[in-house]
Amino acid sequence: MTGQITAAQFHEADGVEDWRCVYHLVSACFTTGSLASGLALVDAIGRLADETEQRYLTIDLREAGVTVSLGLRDIALARRISAAARDLGISADPAAVQLVNVTLDALVGPEVLPFWRAVLGYRQIGEDYLSDPSRRGPGFGLQQMDTVRPHRNRMHLDVAVPHDQAQARIAAALAAGGRLVSDAHAPMWWVLADAEGNEVCIATWRGR
């Protein structure tokens, strides 16, 4: 199955326990502990993913582990990658999965977005979102404002986390001095703020 199925459909499938949906991606973080072990996994993935699959496959190799992201919620490919990791004795850490977006409040989005597209060198997706063509940097989105809110910062982070990690992430933020601003849209997102009122949204795929 390679169509853009829903996140719920993906998570209902068998054999994808290593993977978590975060916004438009599905990702898995494999703990390798060394570049040599990580390279072995990357090599295995390179051999099992065909040319078409490689177009929506992103791999981030670090000494501690390998993060694999799929631009399509491809159950079959996810299963094959997990099987390759198991064959190498490599396990996944779902709690390490996340995706970060920068979000800007805007009154006139169509006039603002071209500036940020040029500054960042990103490509535009839809009417209010920019994506790094190299797949390295965070996404950049606009949030429509109807009126100026002078007592609130107009830029904030959106941190998409696995649906089963959201409560732990929120609890950690609150324990670190944050406060809950709103849970009106939970479990899609919770709005938190630091001690000075700077806001961040913790988001999941649920409810989307």
Side-chain angles (χ1 to χ4, degrees):
M1 186 180 294
T2 57
Q4 191 65 333
I5 60 175
T6 67
Q9 288 173 317
F10 182 89
H11 281 293
E12 288 168 358
D14 294 328
V16 295
E17 292 77 15
D18 293 339
W19 300 79
R20 297 294 185 274
C21 291
V22 282
Y23 288 156
H24 57 288
L25 297 178
V26 56
S27 298
C29 295
F30 297 96
T31 304
T32 59
S34 72
L35 282 176
S37 180
L39 283 168
L41 178 57
V42 172
D43 180 65
I45 295 171
R47 286 184 277 107
L48 64 83
D50 64 30
E51 183 176 338
T52 298
E53 292 167 334
Q54 290 180 19
R55 292 174 185 164
Y56 55 82
L57 171 66
T58 302
I59 300 175
D60 184 298
L61 170 65
R62 307 293 173 100
E63 176 271 333
V66 175
T67 299
V68 184
S69 297
L70 308 178
L72 287 177
R73 300 183 182 116
D74 188 335
I75 293 171
L77 180 56
R79 287 171 175 161
R80 297 203 307 274
I81 293 172
S82 288
R86 285 195 301 272
D87 289 344
L88 292 168
I90 298 171
S91 60
D93 179 11
V97 173
Q98 72 173 23
L99 186 150
V100 177
N101 282 334
V102 177
T103 303
L104 176 69
D105 292 342
L107 293 170
V108 285
E111 296 179 22
V112 170
L113 200 63
F115 169 83
W116 290 102
R117 185 175 64 234
V119 167
L120 295 170
Y122 278 16
R123 62 187 177 92
Q124 185 167 338
I125 300 176
E127 297 180 354
D128 59 2
Y129 191 78
L130 301 175
S131 174
D132 182 358
S134 67
R135 304 180 187 178
R136 292 191 301 261
F140 183 91
L142 298 182
Q143 179 172 281
Q144 182 63 47
M145 291 177 61
D146 296 323
T147 59
V148 176
R149 289 173 283 179
H151 301 296
R152 177 184 184 274
N153 287 341
R154 292 182 64 175
M155 189 172 289
H156 68 274
L157 296 181
D158 290 328
V159 183
V161 300
H163 61 282
D164 52 359
Q165 300 296 321
Q167 291 299 332
R169 186 66 66 92
I170 292 167
L174 297 179
R179 63 182 176 86
L180 177 66
V181 175
S182 173
D183 59 1
H185 298 283
M188 281 194 291
W189 74 83
W190 293 257
V191 182
L192 307 179
D194 66 15
E196 294 190 355
N198 301 298
E199 295 183 359
V200 60
C201 292
I202 303 297
T204 77
W205 62 264
R206 289 196 184 278
R208 297 182 185 277

